[in-house]
């Protein structure tokens, strides 16, 4: 386990905490799920996937230390480098990206599609 400082505003912290509560109470587990979902959606071509330029302005965001496994942290760091942002900024974006899809129902549709594809010979 390694700590990652995630830069979240109040809305982002509430989203992370809400995800953590739904998933058993761990911020690290919630961040890992959000990061894996976000990174797995890289080829979807969605406009919302890229970290927006305004997200790098950390002055109004509180740094929250979150324990994260090394593999997920490394994957976030590599993508953050590709996008030219800090890993904690990318992690915050991944949380909001995942939470938005979860709240909109998009996540459920994607999961259903994935399960159907897995069950086809």
């Amino acid at each position: 386990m390694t700590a990652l400082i995630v830069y979240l505003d109040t809305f982002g912290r509430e989203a992370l905490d809400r995800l953590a509560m739904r998933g058993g109470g761990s911020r690290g587990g919630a961040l890992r799920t959000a990061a894996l979902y976000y990174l797995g959606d890289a080829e979807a071509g969605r406009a919302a996937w890229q970290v927006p330029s305004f997200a790098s302005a950390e002055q109004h965001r509180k740094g929250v230390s979150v324990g994260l496994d090394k593999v997920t942290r490394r994957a976030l760091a590599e993508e953050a480098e590709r996008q030219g942002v800090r890993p904690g900024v990318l992690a915050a974006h991944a949380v909001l990206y995942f939470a938005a899809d979860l709240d909109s129902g998009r996540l459920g549709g994607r999961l259903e599609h994935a399960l159907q594809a897995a069950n086809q010979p």
Side-chain angles (χ1 to χ4, degrees):
M1 235 4 133
T2 181
L4 175 66
I5 305 298
V6 183
Y7 295 95
L8 298 162
D9 59 12
T10 301
F11 179 80
R13 282 192 309 279
E14 289 173 0
L16 179 61
D17 289 342
R18 192 177 78 240
L19 292 172
M21 286 177 33
R22 289 175 102 167
S26 164
R27 279 183 168 176
L31 178 56
R32 181 177 190 279
T33 300
L36 294 176
Y37 178 81
Y38 171 78
L39 294 169
D41 213 25
E43 302 301 319
R46 293 174 58 193
W49 193 82
Q50 186 80 21
V51 176
S53 59
F54 63 82
S56 293
E58 301 162 6
Q59 68 269 18
H60 299 295
R61 295 181 179 93
K62 182 179 177 183
V64 177
S65 181
V66 179
L68 196 59
D69 64 280
K70 291 180 182 181
V71 173
T72 305
R73 186 165 187 334
R74 187 177 315 119
L76 282 171
E78 289 170 2
E79 182 56 38
E81 186 174 330
R82 277 192 282 282
Q83 292 193 35
V85 297
R86 293 174 60 180
V89 171
L90 181 73
H93 181 66
V95 166
L96 296 176
Y97 186 91
F98 179 71
D101 278 8
L102 184 63
D103 288 345
S104 73
R106 179 178 169 88
L107 183 66
R110 291 191 61 205
L111 181 58
E112 181 180 345
H113 178 73
L115 291 173
Q116 288 173 351
N119 289 328
Q120 293 178 355

